[in-house]
Amino acid sequence: MTLYFDDLEIGKIERFGRYEVTREEVLAFAGRYDPQPFHLDDEAAAASLFGRLAASGWHTAAITMRLITDHWQAIGLDKASLGGIGMDELRWLRPVYPGDVLSVETELLEKMPSRSKPDRGVIRGRWTTLNQHGEAVMSQISIGMMQRRP
């Protein structure tokens, strides 16, 4: 089954996913993409505002995207996606530590049919990444393009 732009309901909230963050991947991601001491070294992390080794915010964003795309594939939304246009208001709200278990909550905020291309529309949604305690660790507004029902 494919879900199209027309099938999406403004205000709908979904919560899904489970991803356990490991120390090894925190070190590997930071070593490759965000090599700051508080992501790579226990001593430096202990002296930082994080108090211990913390995942890069970009790593949290990448995990979030993985959980989102896995969910879209499971519900058939991926087939109508035409890709992302951008992100607004990206915020890292609290640190993510090795051992944290992340999930995602999405809320569709807005959908706008295209005036120039009637076969598609633009959607805006809030994505909130949560830790195992239900605390928000990251939030962002996603803007994407979707196919309309043929």
Side-chain angles (χ1 to χ4, degrees):
M1 181 176 142
T2 300
L3 288 175
Y4 292 95
F5 171 89
D6 311 87
D7 303 319
L8 303 178
E9 300 172 38
I10 294 174
K12 183 174 182 179
I13 296 173
E14 293 184 280
R15 191 166 182 184
F16 52 86
R18 183 185 190 289
Y19 191 97
E20 185 169 350
V21 180
T22 68
R23 175 182 174 78
E24 295 74 27
E25 73 176 318
V26 166
L27 294 170
F29 186 97
R32 184 151 188 184
Y33 300 108
D34 192 359
Q36 298 183 72
F38 42 79
H39 298 317
L40 292 169
D41 179 75
D42 289 311
E43 238 179 81
S48 76
L49 65 97
F50 301 116
R52 60 186 166 122
L53 193 71
S56 165
W58 296 112
H59 187 187
T60 303
I63 292 167
T64 300
M65 192 69 229
R66 180 58 194 242
L67 290 170
I68 292 277
T69 56
D70 286 350
H71 179 67
W72 285 350
Q73 289 172 356
I75 66 170
L77 192 60
D78 62 318
K79 295 173 186 74
S81 174
L82 298 172
I85 297 173
M87 295 285 178
D88 288 337
E89 301 176 31
L90 174 63
R91 299 289 184 270
W92 293 300
L93 304 169
R94 55 178 18 103
V96 170
Y97 299 110
D100 280 351
V101 178
L102 304 182
S103 62
V104 176
E105 182 176 280
T106 60
E107 178 183 7
L108 184 61
L109 302 174
E110 183 177 18
K111 60 186 216 176
M112 301 152 287
S114 173
R115 291 186 189 135
S116 60
K117 296 183 180 177
D119 66 331
R120 64 192 68 182
V122 173
I123 60 172
R124 289 182 70 244
R126 181 181 329 281
W127 296 358
T128 306
T129 308
L130 306 159
N131 66 18
Q132 67 276 12
H133 306 294
E135 301 165 326
V137 298
M138 189 182 84
S139 69
Q140 59 193 359
I141 304 295
S142 169
I143 307 161
M145 193 172 297
M146 300 284 303
Q147 291 178 4
R148 298 201 65 186
R149 186 168 289 289

